[in-house]
Amino acid sequence: MDVRRKGPGASGRFIQGLGMLFTINVAVLLAFIVFVRLRRRTEARSRFDEKLTVVIVLALGVVIAPTSFGQGLLDFLGQLIQGISQAAW
């Protein structure tokens, strides 16, 4: 099995095996894991599950932050919060 980094960051991995080439985007994988974990009912979660979900979400934020999508999301949220704070006064 051949595992190589894609580009300068660790946002993607190439995995080659059995004559096929798969690309796994780490941000998409983490987002999927968060989505699946948050679909569970709150009563079914233990404290450890809650802490693990927080760690996974923080890792997702670290992976997304330096991308153009992350910067756009930061700008959008900043404008949204600024608009809400101005409307409240």
Side-chain angles (χ1 to χ4, degrees), residues 1-72:
M1 185 181 327
D2 181 26
V3 178
R4 293 174 281 164
R5 281 193 160 184
K6 174 187 173 188
S11 63
R13 297 246 184 236
F14 289 118
I15 300 175
Q16 185 175 1
L18 302 175
M20 297 181 291
L21 182 67
F22 298 99
T23 301
I24 300 172
N25 190 330
V26 175
V28 173
L29 180 63
L30 287 174
F32 177 75
I33 291 170
V34 168
F35 176 75
V36 169
R37 291 185 64 81
L38 292 179
R39 288 195 56 187
R40 293 177 58 196
R41 291 188 312 194
T42 305
E43 299 85 21
R45 297 184 201 147
S46 67
R47 287 182 187 243
F48 177 76
D49 284 341
E50 294 284 340
K51 290 177 184 177
L52 184 60
T53 301
V54 168
V55 169
I56 293 171
V57 168
L58 287 173
L60 177 62
V62 167
V63 170
I64 289 177
T67 65
S68 60
F69 173 75
Q71 295 299 316

